[in-house]
């Protein structure tokens, strides 16, 4: 099995999608709220349903290259066993969720049909 690509700071903007389930929703909610407060980042809703191309429940955090070098190590250290998709925001949704997709922990299947 291929190792997931680790995040690299080579794009202007990013989303981090924190994935969770019924057992980890509280942990993920606290993590996302703390990330928003600590780094001044825009945090989306904690979706307890499938949204967009995501095949697990998720919460989206928006950030830029200026936050990357402090935010990503913090997120990696505090996420526990939660998987996190970090992807670029280039305007090409398909490329952002494939070529420009990076992972903290194990990768999660992305539904590319609608991209």
């Amino acid at each position: 099995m291929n190792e997931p690509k680790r995040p690299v700071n080579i794009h202007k903007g990013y989303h981090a999608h924190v994935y969770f389930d019924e057992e980890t929703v509280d942990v993920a909610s606290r993590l996302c709220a703390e990330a928003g407060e600590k780094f001044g980042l825009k945090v989306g809703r904690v979706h307890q349903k499938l949204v967009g191309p995501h095949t697990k429940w998720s919460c989206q955090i928006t950030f830029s290259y200026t936050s990357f070098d402090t935010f990503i190590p913090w997120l990696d250290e505090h996420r526990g066993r939660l998987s996190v998709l970090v992807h670029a925001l280039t305007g090409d949704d398909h490329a952002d969720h494939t070529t420009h997709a990076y992972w903290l922990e194990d990768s999660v299947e992305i539904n590319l049909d609608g991209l």
Side-chain angles (χ1 to χ4, degrees):
M1 182 168 129
N2 291 339
E3 285 288 315
K5 291 190 308 187
R6 298 281 300 166
V8 290
N9 191 3
I10 59 172
H11 308 283
K12 290 185 179 179
Y14 298 87
H15 281 161
H17 297 276
V18 177
Y19 293 113
F20 55 91
D21 57 23
E22 298 90 351
E23 295 177 5
T24 56
V25 63
D26 292 336
V27 171
S29 296
R30 285 192 301 274
L31 177 69
C32 292
E34 187 176 349
E37 293 167 13
K38 183 173 183 66
F39 296 96
L41 304 177
K42 181 179 177 186
V43 177
R45 283 186 237 126
V46 176
H47 291 287
Q48 294 183 51
K49 62 181 182 176
L50 301 185
V51 176
H54 307 288
T55 61
K56 289 187 76 171
W57 295 355
S58 64
C59 180
Q60 174 181 287
I61 303 169
T62 303
F63 63 104
S64 74
Y65 71 96
T66 59
S67 301
F68 187 102
D69 292 335
T70 54
F71 173 57
I72 291 297
W74 178 90
L75 182 60
D76 197 19
E77 181 179 335
H78 291 85
R79 66 179 172 72
R81 300 206 38 86
L82 298 174
S83 290
V84 180
L85 165 64
V86 177
H87 72 77
L89 297 174
T90 66
D92 181 338
D93 285 343
H94 190 274
D96 290 347
H97 289 83
T98 55
T99 307
H100 308 306
Y102 312 99
W103 293 92
L104 301 176
E105 192 60 38
D106 294 331
S107 62
V108 172
E109 183 179 347
I110 302 295
N111 181 355
L112 300 173
D113 292 344
L115 298 180

